[in-house]
Structures are given as structure tokens and as C-alpha cells.
Amino acid sequence: MNQRSHWWTGAACIAMLTSTPACVTAQSGFAGTLAQLERDHDGLVTVSEVGRSVNGQALAMIQLAVDGPIEPDERAAMLIVAGMEGDMPASTTLATRLVGELASRHAAGDESVNKLLTDRTLYILPRMNPDGHTISESSPRQNHALNLRPWDDDRDGVKDEDGPDDLNGDGLITMMRVRDPEGEWLSDADDPRLMRKADRKKGETPAYKLYTEGIDNDEDGEYNEDPAGGVDLNANFMHGYIEHGQHAGPHQISEPESRALIEFVLAHPNIGIVLTMGRHNNLVHIDSKDKTDDTGKAPIGLHKDDVAIYKHIAERYKELTGIEEAREEPSAGAFYAWAYAQLGIPSFATTVWQRPTPEMEEPESTDDDAEKQKDDKPSKEKNAKKKDKLKNERAWLTYSDQQRDGGGFVDWQPFNHPTLGEVEIGGFVPTFQHTPTDDDLAELAKRHTDFAVDLAGRFASVAVTKVEVEQLAPSLFEVTVGLTNDGYFPTGLAIADVNRRVKPMVISLDVDRDRVVGGDKFHKVRRIDGSGGHREFRWIIQGQPGETVTFTCKSHKLGDIEKPITLKETVTP
Amino acid sequence: MIRIAAMFITIAAATATGQPYPPLPDSRVDITFNRFYDYDETTAILKQFADKYPKLVKLESIGQSHEGREMWLATVTNFATGSDRDKPTMYIDANVHGNEVQGTETCLYTIWYLTRLHGHNEKISELLDERAFYIIPMVNPDGRAFWFREPNTPHSSRTGHRPTDNDSDGLKDEDGPDDLDGDGFITGMWQKDPNGRWRQSKKDPRLFERVPRHEKGDYNYLGGEGIDNDGDGRINEDGSGGYDMNRNWPSDWQPPYIQYGAGDFPFCFPETRCIGEFLVDRPNVAAIQSYHNSAGMVLRGPGRKGRESAYPRADVRVYDRLGETGENVIPFYRYVVLYQDLYDVYGGFVTWGYEGLGVFSFTNELWAASQYYADSREDWFRITNEDRLKFADLLEFGETYRPLKPYNHPTYGDIEIGGFTQYAFRVPPTFMLEELCHRNTAFTLYHADQMPMLKFMNVDVASIGDDTWEVTVEIENERLIPSISRRAADQKIGPRDALTLVGDSATVVASGTLANKHLASVMLTKHNPQRIWVDRGIGSHATRLFRFIVTGSGEVTLTYKSAKARDIKTAVDLK
């Protein structure tokens, strides 16, 4: 930890730029929340800066650990990353509340939490994309998933020159619909607030074009085609990275935010579990397809021998968080996918929440269409997707109406647009679908904390459970040492056998090489299964009766074990 | 070849004034090309070029290596005719592998040649007036320093020198080779053994050959010189560094378990990172050349079969023209595709240049053993060690070979140490270095000469009504390389080209691209007709036609902008 500069100096500078100079002591917003956590839980919560965003905002890493016999950076650790997507500030709130929740449970004397925070370390990066959050949350609010790397989306030689504009001044960037014979969209018959693509083959005539709210700032005929930024930080990592993908960045780890995170991870080989909070959910959608990519060597999803572990944890996850559904999002370039596939450690991704199911009637119109299309598979899938999208939007709208006082949707209102003429502005409120209510968040924080505690209780835990010494000759001894893993996870997943990225445990006796008559001087061991997995190691060494030799097992992930062994006389000369 | 020939005719014409050949000035930098220069010497030479040719050479460091050496970049152009940023620029580098040294001398030669002949030779003057060069002679300066300073094998050491744990024992760089006999080289360790799998070569007893199956040999090969420094039962398994910076580039990068030496992520090394950031920020780079050794190859991607689709046919035709010229300019070198004729490479620089940046990019493997004997066109891999040793005897007076000498090894006991030195396989004999430098420079300058060069062929103004004009513009690319490669167009890399028409008292009412001079079909520009976007640029030796419908009068200015060509501008009157 000593290499990290103090986090709040940077945060305070940014705060000074955006608010009043008096904020150096009275930090507000996110920086203030972290400062408060650190003050309230002195000795448990430590915050440090691990990097800066494109716009220079601090990336704050929280360390949760109680003083113990082993330094926090030497203990097996779990890393939680949130706020990678700029349009999901709720994930940051959730991760921050999770820290508060753990700290409170610790203060209240919760035994399992105390043991966890003494034996293990938690690192939490709650807000990886502060610039994206700033854009999404300040007025006008908008969905801004990306970071703020300037980017020439429309390849006209100018960067970020045509973003959305809040034309009606309601503080929200929503949509514009314009009556246009070249349009593709219809207002849905069941709920005319919703827009869907028309199907001319069914005799539907489209009426509208849809745009994001804004004007053609650069007068090139396109609307809002080159907004601020950016790169999707959660698509900027190596596994499955899409070269020249739309928001993938100029290359892998091209962004200061992704680079800060990967350098932190590489500098902390003690990290043995990763949990991300954002748009992916690999516990609802377990990728068990058992396929390799086009190199023929890299598994695309999970290694087949790791699937059972993920399934087991998924059950517990659903039970503890109550989350059973999530949108399936592509994992190309995602951080969690890299941590599993290339770092070789258990890595999980959770969505922040699941929309409470509203009470709604199924509109009748749709089911028989699928029947008719059944011979035409691609178009059937496409239609199904279209239908899902509409169904999903309908559910969001019903939820907004029933449980959020209609606060999730802005009704279409006429507006006189400078170049498009008569338009209507309206649509879903930005970030609404990613933002639970405050009450929901409180409950979600508790549930995710339960899950995090459960996960962090599953580290491999290896101990010496057997030592046998047999004297074979006056100065020749056979030494057998057994190691048992009483944790849940194996010391290395099946993927780690493939990618060789987790360093093996190095097992040896501290005797000179020429005294080792049988057995390897060093045993390198990648895998001892969890739930009582056992491995034994045997040496024949030269030594004197009564002499003590030391058995060592060194591991980056689990710490080191030392055990003195006395070469006892067992044969009478 | 025609252009190269034309270049020599130009020189010949200049000499036709009765003076002895050639009346060309000496360089202001005193340098010979019959020896190699280590990091410090190369640094000093680069500084001299910048000092002595301040109008043509700027030297800066774009970063530091892991051990803190400078990443020297020489920008070479005639700064009086415009900044490098406004000119199509060729990027040249060398020595990403520490032991592949002679590309650095080739870079120095290129700077030497360009600066010496600018103002005296028409083609060279054009190359510096209209184009620019970014030259990084030492991509891996720590590796270069290590090669000159430390004992090496004939094939070591490729790596950079960030300490790395190659044997997964938690220790870094703890068991490298050792120069046991103190002769400055890591040669081989051999041991007599009645059951050995090797024997002395029948052709030359100083060399060994494997014995065929079912025959008995009398020697065993124990590897390169060294001891088991870390006591793990293996010798030389974790030397200094231990990775490959030419597997650390972003295109088709794969993790180390798929591609040895790739590093943890693209640009994780300070050396590759500063070059990566430099190139991403330089859309004016329109040609790329990297120097390696050895085997006599002019290489292009793809690095594996599965990536063929990244190379559209239009670009392959350009590549072939360039590469085939390379074969002519550099005898003994073959123009080949990386994965087809060498081996699979993930994350190589030559592939990133093309697949990632959309720029035609080559890697030359400098020096082929077939060059030992000038009458031989045999492939380099047919040259035997006996051939090498004969050559070493006759032309290098034995310098590249160390005879076997007895040695008492701590683990093996009585052994013999000796063999070829690090000068034997991958670098040319120094008396052949200058030709290597010149021929590779000539090919690279040919490539640079083929960067796009645009001009207005015709601008026709026709009246089509009262104050209404049809302005037809024909633009030609006089060179082989298109202003936007098909790869760049397909993958949307970099800005598009654009043609604009602007006049004080003129309004563009419509515009578009013409498929054909004689048929009136015009692909109309959708919005803002005074600017026509040209998504695919101007092709290889191609012309393109554009038309503006303009109302008004007076002078109008036409400007064609392209990231990889100099902007061109012309004015016409509407009359």
C-alpha cells in the first residue's frame, strides 16, 4: 500500500474544479462518502488512489482488512470492481454500501465477518469510470456508458463535436420521434408511448424516424453521431477483445482506467477471486458451451471442468441475492472474462438488480407469428429478439407506472426542431433501467454483502495435515508430508492448468540439493482440489538423527506455510 | 524497378559534367559501415546527425527502456518544406530483438544516405521535401546493450531485461548462462560418453553431428555454457528477462500460454508502449518497415492462417508489387508471408502495422547464410555448419569459432566447451555489412517513394445555365500506395479523405462522385455538398472524378485532404 499516493488529493482537486474552492476540507459527493467511511472505520477501511481517469478524476481503491499477523497485501484477497459502465452509477453506490455494510457488521461483532477481514483482504474499486458517471449524472442526465477518451466517431477529422442536446430543457436527454415516410418505426398499438419497428410484410406502414434528442451540431446531416468519448472500459480487456470494435478503443488496455485496474491486479498476486458489478451476469448466464476461439487454444467461456463449480456458486448466488434473471450481454473484452480466462482465477459478474416483476397482461397479438416463422430460423430469432425488446420495454413501462409513479418515462411532447421541424420529444428517462430505488438499494447492498461474504469464505485453504518420518538407514530418512485443502475452491481452477498464469505452489525441504537422494528438490503443484483435497510429497534425504529440517510451501495466492520436521530415530542401530 | 533505374540515371546525368564519379559531398558525420555500434556509440552518432544536419534531422527520446536507456527517435525531413505531421511519413525501426543488431546500422545508414544526398540527388531531395521519416534504430536498447556487453550464444538474447520468472519458482532471472571459460561467449558444453547421441562430424572434426538411430555416438550435448545457479536441477532455465517484445503488439495478441513471450497485455513493456502511443497518434504514417535478422526475407502478415481475411485482395496486390521489388533490390531475400513460410506469430509488429493501423508494413530478416558464397542461390537453411566454418576459416580467419577446450564442470565433471560465437549466424561478416545496409535502405526508400502522392489532373468548369456551373475535378494518385488502404477503409481506421470546394461568391448546390468521365451518373453527396467524403481514398495509381454544381461567380478553391498524403489545393475561376 505504501506506493499509492493518498487518494483524496486528486479527488479534492477535481471537486475544486467543479464546485467551490472551500471543498478541500468539506468533501462532497463520492469523495466525501469515501472520506467518511475511512473516518468512521479507522484501521479497517483504507482508501488510496490507483490511477486517474481521462479527465483526471481519481480512481479510488478501498482496502478492507483488520490488522492481523499477516500484512493485508500478503493475504488471499477478493477484488470487487464496480462503476465500469458510466450509465450504471448504481453499481458504485452498491459497492460503496457493501463496504459500509461489512464495516458495520464488523463493528457489531459479527464473527464470520471479523474472521474474514482478519484472514483475508477485500479490495474494492467502486467507481472505475468516474468521467462516465459525471456525464450520466449531471444535467442533462443521459446514458453515457463510455469513458471520455476523445474519439472521432464519424471520421470527419473532428472529435466529439456532435453530442446530444437537451432541447426541451427538462434536464434529460431522451428521444425525438419525427413523422417521416423514410422512417422505420411505429407507435405500438398496445401502448402508444412505446416505439417498435414496423413490419411491412405484415402490412404495417412505418411512420416515424427516431433520433436521440439533439441538433446536428456539425451540420453534416447526422444527429448526435459524435458525442463525447469514448471507450467501453468493460470491452477494453484482452479476452475476446474485438479489434476495431465500435467502442473497444484503439487497442486492448488503451485507457488510463483499464490500465490502472490491470496494473493493480498484476501487482497483487494475492488476489484470488474477482467479483464485478455491472452489466454482465455470469451466474445467471453460465457460459458452459465448451468451445475454443479461432486460435483453437483459448476457451471462449468456462473450461468444462470448472462448470460444476460455477453452477454450485450460482445456486447460492440466486438464493442470497434473489437475482434470477439478467440480460445476456456479450463478454468480449470484459474485465471479469479476462480475470477468468487469462489470469486463471474464479471470477464472477453480478448485475446490480433485477427489475421487480410488474403485474401485467400479455398482449395477445404476438404468439402465432413465431409459429408461422418456424421454418425460417434466422428470421425467427430476429423476430423473437425484436419481440423480447418490446416485451422488455413494456415491462419497464408498466413497472414505472405501477411502482415508480411513472417516473421512468417522459411522455412525448411536441417540439419545434430547428432543422427537423415538428418533432415529439420523450421516452425512457436515462439510466432509469439501471437505477433501483434507494430502498431497493439498501436491501440489495445487504444481499450482495451476504454473497460477497459467502464467496470470500470459499478460498482454498491449505494446511499440513500429515508428517511422517521414517529412518531408512543411520543417516537416511524418508519424509512424507501431506497437504489438505479445506477450502471450497481448488488451489487452481482447470483454466489455470491451461493458461499457466497462476504460479504453482512451490514445495520443498530446506536441505542442500546433494542431500536429496530421492524426490524432487522442488515440487511445483498447481492443483489441490477443494473440500478436503489431499496431496502427499515424499523425499529421501541424508541427515542426522535429531536434526530439524523445514518444510516450506510457497504460494502467491495463499501465503506461505513453514513446518519444522525433526528427523527422529526410528531404527535402533 | 523502373523508378530505381531512373534514380541511377539521374545520378549519372549529374555526373556528366566531366567530373570524376561521383561528385557527391561527403557526409558531415564521419561514420563507417564495416562495424557494429553499441547503444552508447549509436546514441553519439544520432546526436551528431541532429547536430550536423539541424534542418533535416531532429532527435528526441520518446521514452525510456526498462533499464532507463533512451528510446531515440530521429525525425528526418526537410523541415523548411513542412512539418512531418503534414507529410506522408515512413516509420522505420530495428532491434526489437536484442540480438538482431544490424538493423540499427541499417537505420544509421538510411539517415546517413538521406542527409548526405539531400539537395544533390533529385529523388532523395523529393523524399525529404515531400515526405518524412520516423526512425527508431533501437526498439530494445537494453537488449542491444546486453548483446554487446554480456556473453551471448549465437542466438541470444532476444528479450528485454525486465526481470521475469520463467520457471515459475517465484524467483526472477536467477539461473542464466555463465561464461565458464571466460572467453566472452556462451558456446556449447560437450561431454565424452560411450553411449552419446552425438559424434564428431566426418567432414570437419571441430563440429558435431547427431548419430542416426541404432548407431552409437561418443559425445553428448549438454546445452549452452552454464551451471545450475538456483539448484533446481535445471541449467540456464531463467536468464535475464525472458519475453519477446515482438509478440506484444495489439493485433491478434494472445496470452503467453498461446504465444510465448507475449507479456501480460499489449504494450505492457515501456519500450513497446511508447512506440504504440506514438504510432496511434500519427495518422500521417503511411509506410512501415522493421528490421530483424536473419534468413533473407521481406515479410508481411498475416501471422496465421485464420487471419487471411484481414488482407483484402486490393491491398495484397499493392503488397506484392512492393515485395517483389524487394526481391530484386536485395538478392538472396525472398518476399514471403509470415505464417506460410516462417511460423505462426500472434501480436507481431508487422501485423499490427497493417491490421491495426491499416498501413503497409514489412519486416526484413537481414542477412542470409546463402550469401556466404556469392554464386549460391541456395536457401539459407541448406547452408551447413561445415559451410559456415569453412567460410569462417577462409574469410574471417577463424574469428567466429572457438575451438573446444577441456573444463571441469561442478555438476557434469570433465567436459569440453567451444563452438560458434554470437557473430557466426545472424549478423553478416562486417565486410559485407555496408552492402546489406545499402540494399535494405534502397528497398525501404522505394517503399517510401510509393507513399501516396496526389495531384489535380484536370479541373473543368462548364456553364450549365445562368451563373450555374458544373465543376468537374479529376484527382490522380501518382504512386502505388492508395491514400486509404482497403483495410483502413473496411475497418474504419482513421479519418476519411475529403474534397471541398469553397468560394467567396459561390454556393455549392450539389456534388458527387462520378463513376465515369463520359456517363453523367453522379453518386450524390447527401448533406453539405461543398464537401465530398471519399471513404476509400484515391487508389493505387488511380484517378477519381468528382463533380460540383455551383452557383455564383469568381474564384473557387478546391482542397483535397488526406491523412496519408500531402493536402493539395487549386483555384479556378467560374467562367
Side-chain angles (χ1 to χ4, degrees):
Chain A
M1 295 298 282
N2 52 355
Q3 285 182 353
R4 293 172 218 154
S5 61
H6 213 278
W7 65 277
W8 50 259
T9 44
C13 291
I14 294 303
M16 282 170 71
L17 291 175
T18 52
S19 59
T20 62
C23 67
V24 177
T25 47
Q27 288 155 10
S28 57
F30 183 65
T33 305
L34 296 192
Q36 189 67 43
L37 271 172
E38 205 174 19
R39 271 197 300 277
D40 289 353
H41 304 283
D42 189 29
L44 173 67
V45 174
T46 320
V47 186
S48 61
E49 180 184 316
V50 293
R52 295 284 176 98
S53 68
V54 168
N55 271 10
Q57 297 201 61
L59 304 176
M61 182 69 76
I62 303 171
Q63 176 190 286
L64 263 179
V66 182
D67 271 352
I70 305 169
E71 285 295 304
D73 280 354
E74 306 285 321
R75 303 176 196 168
M78 180 160 93
L79 170 71
I80 299 176
V81 182
M84 306 177 91
E85 293 89 354
D87 56 353
M88 297 188 180
S91 67
T92 294
T93 311
L94 184 66
T96 316
R97 288 196 182 184
L98 180 144
V99 172
E101 179 70 25
L102 278 171
S104 308
R105 291 186 194 182
H106 170 70
D110 182 323
E111 293 265 328
S112 63
V113 169
N114 292 355
K115 181 159 169 37
L116 175 72
L117 297 179
T118 312
D119 294 348
R120 312 293 187 204
T121 300
L122 259 59
Y123 303 115
I124 299 108
L125 179 66
R127 194 166 69 149
M128 184 182 172
N129 185 3
D131 295 346
H133 288 201
T134 302
I135 296 262
S136 289
E137 291 182 312
S138 45
S139 186
R141 269 170 70 188
Q142 56 186 293
N143 286 317
H144 188 96
L146 314 176
N147 78 345
L148 282 189
R149 164 187 276 260
W151 194 257
D152 180 10
D153 295 273
D154 56 348
R155 299 175 65 224
D156 63 354
V158 187
K159 291 169 181 169
D160 300 352
E161 80 288 358
D162 189 356
D165 310 88
D166 181 19
L167 300 178
N168 61 0
D170 65 353
L172 306 171
I173 299 295
T174 55
M175 301 295 287
M176 307 189 294
R177 63 180 187 191
V178 191
R179 290 202 172 270
D180 189 321
E182 281 193 334
E184 294 184 292
W185 296 84
L186 264 183
S187 176
D188 185 49
D190 294 312
D191 190 330
R193 289 176 295 179
L194 292 176
M195 303 299 290
R196 67 181 174 86
K197 285 226 169 141
D199 189 343
R200 288 180 197 273
K201 287 177 188 157
K202 287 188 197 154
E204 295 172 349
T205 306
Y208 290 101
K209 271 191 177 176
L210 272 184
Y211 302 89
T212 312
E213 186 179 348
I215 56 169
D216 178 12
N217 308 63
D218 60 349
E219 296 178 6
D220 66 348
E222 308 287 327
Y223 291 81
N224 313 321
E225 82 290 352
D226 194 352
V231 173
D232 178 355
L233 298 176
N234 216 357
N236 195 232
F237 289 81
M238 280 75 75
H239 187 62
Y241 178 79
I242 298 174
E243 291 168 35
H244 306 295
Q246 198 188 0
H247 297 299
H251 55 80
Q252 308 89 327
I253 317 294
S254 56
E255 303 311 295
E257 297 91 347
S258 48
R259 186 166 166 89
L261 175 56
I262 203 166
E263 295 212 323
F264 179 85
V265 174
L266 295 173
H268 290 78
N270 58 319
I271 293 172
I273 300 175
V274 159
L275 174 65
T276 67
M277 298 174 170
R279 70 176 185 268
H280 299 99
N281 194 321
N282 72 342
L283 290 159
V284 169
H285 301 285
I286 293 179
D287 189 351
S288 55
K289 285 191 277 291
D290 190 26
K291 281 187 181 157
T292 53
D293 70 3
D294 70 341
T295 67
K297 293 169 187 163
I300 290 175
L302 295 175
H303 188 290
K304 64 178 176 2
D305 295 341
D306 290 333
V307 171
I309 288 176
Y310 272 75
K311 284 192 171 158
H312 177 74
I313 290 179
E315 272 176 39
R316 193 78 183 116
Y317 166 80
K318 288 173 186 169
E319 197 180 305
L320 290 173
T321 64
I323 294 176
E324 297 192 325
E325 287 172 22
R327 270 180 67 169
E328 193 165 4
E329 293 278 347
S331 66
F335 172 70
Y336 84 88
W338 169 78
Y340 172 79
Q342 296 189 11
L343 202 59
I345 63 176
S347 174
F348 304 95
T350 171
T351 36
V352 170
W353 72 317
Q354 178 182 326
R355 181 197 59 234
T357 315
E359 287 170 28
M360 55 193 290
E361 286 168 31
E362 266 304 304
E364 289 164 15
S365 56
T366 44
D367 269 333
D368 50 49
D369 305 334
E371 288 285 309
K372 283 181 212 153
Q373 302 270 355
K374 70 182 167 196
D375 296 332
D376 182 1
K377 206 178 163 216
S379 118
K380 183 181 163 187
E381 275 173 14
K382 214 170 150 191
N383 271 3
K385 260 195 189 145
K386 253 195 247 169
K387 226 164 56 184
D388 276 357
K389 186 169 183 282
L390 187 67
K391 199 173 148 190
N392 186 38
E393 289 199 341
R394 199 175 280 143
W396 277 111
L397 199 49
T398 313
Y399 164 71
S400 166
D401 292 344
Q402 287 177 358
Q403 299 180 40
R404 301 286 286 268
D405 295 329
F409 196 90
V410 179
D411 281 338
W412 298 98
Q413 293 293 331
F415 183 84
N416 194 352
H417 190 278
T419 48
L420 292 169
E422 281 306 320
V423 304
E424 289 169 277
I425 295 178
F428 281 102
V429 168
T431 73
F432 169 69
Q433 296 178 13
H434 304 311
T435 312
T437 64
D438 213 50
D439 285 350
D440 285 342
L441 261 176
E443 176 64 18
L444 286 161
K446 287 203 179 78
R447 286 167 169 268
H448 278 96
T449 304
D450 291 342
F451 178 60
V453 169
D454 180 88
L455 257 190
R458 292 175 180 271
F459 278 104
S461 178
V462 173
V464 176
T465 51
K466 175 181 176 181
V467 176
E468 270 180 20
V469 178
E470 191 181 345
Q471 189 175 26
L472 304 176
S475 60
L476 197 64
F477 293 84
E478 179 174 332
V479 178
T480 307
V481 180
L483 292 176
T484 304
N485 175 8
D486 274 331
Y488 172 77
F489 285 123
T491 58
L493 292 176
I495 187 71
D497 278 345
V498 174
N499 69 28
R500 319 294 280 180
R501 187 56 183 74
V502 178
K503 299 265 184 208
M505 297 185 288
V506 179
I507 288 163
S508 67
L509 293 181
D510 71 334
V511 293
D512 284 345
R513 187 174 168 71
D514 20 346
R515 285 175 57 194
V516 180
V517 175
D520 284 338
K521 166 93 171 110
F522 298 102
H523 287 277
K524 290 178 192 166
V525 178
R526 293 191 182 274
R527 182 153 192 173
I528 301 178
D529 281 329
S531 309
H534 185 79
R535 292 273 303 264
E536 296 196 354
F537 306 93
R538 202 161 69 95
W539 293 269
I540 296 172
I541 57 170
Q542 293 172 334
Q544 294 308 314
E547 182 188 349
T548 299
V549 298
T550 307
F551 167 88
T552 61
C553 171
K554 289 178 184 289
S555 162
H556 278 105
K557 296 259 174 268
L558 304 170
D560 299 345
I561 301 170
E562 283 195 2
K563 179 98 183 171
I565 297 172
T566 306
L567 304 181
K568 276 182 286 195
E569 251 174 305
T570 55
V571 187
T572 314
Chain B
M1 272 314 281
I2 291 163
R3 278 162 205 282
I4 294 290
M7 179 172 132
F8 288 117
I9 290 163
T10 313
I11 294 170
T15 63
T17 51
Q19 292 186 40
Y21 172 85
L24 296 170
D26 283 335
S27 176
R28 292 178 213 157
V29 175
D30 192 16
I31 173 176
T32 59
F33 290 96
N34 60 0
R35 55 157 298 190
F36 302 107
Y37 297 94
D38 70 12
Y39 168 81
D40 291 327
E41 291 168 325
T42 304
T43 299
I45 292 164
L46 289 168
K47 286 181 174 167
Q48 277 193 59
F49 279 120
D51 267 5
K52 301 284 173 69
Y53 292 98
K55 291 173 179 168
L56 300 179
V57 181
K58 273 186 190 155
L59 184 67
E60 67 193 290
S61 170
I62 60 165
Q64 270 88 39
S65 67
H66 177 79
E67 292 179 343
R69 292 184 180 82
E70 302 299 338
M71 298 291 295
W72 293 119
L73 163 75
T75 301
V76 187
T77 190
N78 180 4
F79 293 101
T81 59
S83 146
D84 48 280
R85 293 260 193 176
D86 298 328
K87 294 172 180 170
T89 302
M90 179 155 199
Y91 170 91
I92 305 169
D93 78 19
N95 206 187
V96 63
H97 293 137
N99 60 332
E100 304 187 358
V101 293
Q102 67 264 42
T104 302
E105 283 74 21
T106 309
C107 286
L108 295 177
Y109 187 94
T110 304
I111 302 172
W112 176 81
Y113 203 83
L114 288 169
T115 49
R116 189 172 68 108
L117 292 193
H118 180 257
H120 301 280
N121 170 284
E122 206 177 308
K123 179 53 73 181
I124 299 295
S125 300
E126 184 187 82
L127 283 171
L128 292 190
D129 293 346
E130 301 298 322
R131 284 91 170 21
F133 296 85
Y134 295 135
I135 302 178
I136 299 185
M138 299 179 288
V139 173
N140 179 2
D142 299 346
R144 188 173 190 82
F146 186 91
W147 193 81
F148 283 89
R149 187 188 66 225
E150 301 292 332
N152 276 282
T153 75
H155 297 292
S156 76
S157 160
R158 275 165 93 81
T159 178
H161 292 277
R162 175 192 282 185
T164 304
D165 176 13
N166 297 109
D167 56 346
S168 291
D169 64 353
L171 305 172
K172 295 171 178 175
D173 296 3
E174 80 289 355
D175 190 356
D178 310 87
D179 181 17
L180 299 175
D181 60 3
D183 67 351
F185 299 104
I186 302 298
T187 57
M189 302 196 292
W190 299 88
Q191 188 167 40
K192 279 214 166 81
D193 179 344
N195 295 310
R197 300 308 306 153
W198 294 76
R199 66 186 175 207
Q200 285 174 305
S201 162
K202 297 218 165 86
K203 287 186 202 148
D204 190 328
R206 293 172 296 174
L207 296 169
F208 293 93
E209 60 187 18
R210 268 181 203 281
V211 291
R213 260 190 221 215
H214 314 302
E215 282 183 44
K216 244 182 163 181
D218 49 12
Y219 269 92
N220 263 334
Y221 179 55
L222 304 171
E225 258 175 277
I227 56 171
D228 180 11
N229 309 68
D230 60 350
D232 70 345
R234 295 161 71 198
I235 291 177
N236 305 346
E237 83 288 353
D238 191 355
S240 182
Y243 49 90
D244 186 340
M245 288 197 282
N246 201 30
R247 303 295 183 271
N248 188 238
W249 306 90
S251 290
D252 202 21
W253 179 93
Q254 296 293 339
Y257 78 95
I258 294 174
Q259 173 60 64
Y260 165 81
D264 279 318
F265 57 91
F267 301 147
C268 66
F269 304 112
E271 296 88 347
T272 50
R273 180 151 199 100
C274 70
I275 292 173
E277 286 178 350
F278 176 82
L279 283 172
V280 165
D281 192 35
R282 297 292 186 292
N284 55 311
V285 168
I288 293 177
Q289 174 70 52
S290 186
Y291 293 127
H292 285 235
N293 75 26
S294 59
M297 291 178 173
V298 177
L299 283 169
R300 69 161 171 92
R304 65 179 164 104
K305 194 163 195 257
R307 301 280 287 194
E308 277 288 1
S309 62
Y311 291 70
R313 193 174 295 188
D315 285 355
V316 168
R317 279 196 287 264
V318 173
Y319 250 131
D320 289 350
R321 284 287 296 279
L322 293 167
E324 282 155 16
T325 305
E327 287 189 336
N328 284 323
V329 173
I330 326 174
F332 300 99
Y333 287 38
R334 289 177 306 133
Y335 159 57
V336 296
V337 174
L338 194 46
Y339 85 89
Q340 288 173 359
D341 295 85
L342 199 55
Y343 39 60
D344 281 0
V345 170
Y346 302 90
F349 180 71
V350 69
T351 46
W352 182 60
Y354 178 72
E355 296 168 23
L357 299 172
V359 177
F360 292 93
S361 167
F362 286 105
T363 284
N364 283 16
E365 298 287 354
L366 307 181
W367 177 243
S370 44
Q371 291 176 262
Y372 281 140
Y373 303 102
D375 62 342
S376 164
R377 277 265 181 171
E378 293 282 338
D379 285 329
W380 63 273
F381 50 81
R382 290 187 213 284
I383 301 293
T384 63
N385 283 352
E386 285 80 359
D387 293 331
R388 284 176 207 276
L389 193 50
K390 191 169 149 199
F391 185 90
D393 288 341
L394 294 172
L395 282 129
E396 299 181 279
F397 307 97
E399 264 309 307
T400 59
Y401 175 84
R402 291 289 176 269
L404 263 72
K405 282 187 203 143
Y407 184 82
N408 190 278
H409 190 276
T411 307
Y412 295 123
D414 285 334
I415 63 166
E416 292 165 63
I417 293 177
F420 285 108
T421 76
Q422 69 195 69
Y423 289 92
F425 283 72
R426 290 174 162 264
V427 296
T430 49
F431 74 91
M432 296 174 85
L433 177 61
E434 181 160 1
E435 182 177 352
L436 177 151
C437 291
H438 184 84
R439 287 186 183 276
N440 281 280
T441 293
F443 166 62
T444 300
L445 296 186
Y446 167 78
H447 185 179
D449 187 33
Q450 297 308 322
M451 291 190 289
M453 188 174 273
L454 309 179
K455 72 170 193 196
F456 288 101
M457 293 265 287
N458 291 301
V459 181
D460 293 328
V461 180
S463 169
I464 56 167
D466 291 346
D467 279 344
T468 307
W469 311 89
E470 190 179 79
V471 181
T472 306
V473 183
E474 190 172 6
I475 295 174
E476 181 191 15
N477 178 5
E478 297 182 309
R479 298 298 152 87
L480 184 57
I481 296 177
S483 67
I484 296 177
S485 69
R486 190 57 57 84
R487 171 72 181 170
D490 288 352
Q491 298 298 321
K492 301 185 169 25
I493 304 167
R496 298 169 285 171
D497 289 2
L499 174 66
T500 54
L501 185 149
V502 179
D504 287 342
S505 22
T507 307
V508 181
V509 294
S511 69
T513 306
L514 268 71
N516 180 306
K517 212 174 207 173
H518 307 290
L519 302 171
S521 165
V522 177
M523 296 285 294
L524 282 174
T525 310
K526 273 191 182 156
H527 305 279
N528 197 355
Q530 72 176 32
R531 176 172 56 192
I532 303 173
W533 290 113
V534 190
D535 288 15
R536 286 190 172 185
I538 315 286
S540 179
H541 288 297
T543 59
R544 287 194 72 174
L545 283 163
F546 306 94
R547 182 166 288 164
F548 294 90
I549 309 296
V550 187
T551 59
S553 59
E555 190 184 81
V556 295
T557 305
L558 290 153
T559 308
Y560 190 92
K561 274 180 170 300
S562 171
K564 302 210 185 297
R566 290 200 91 167
D567 295 348
I568 53 171
K569 210 174 249 204
T570 189
V572 287
D573 286 326
L574 298 178
K575 63 177 183 189

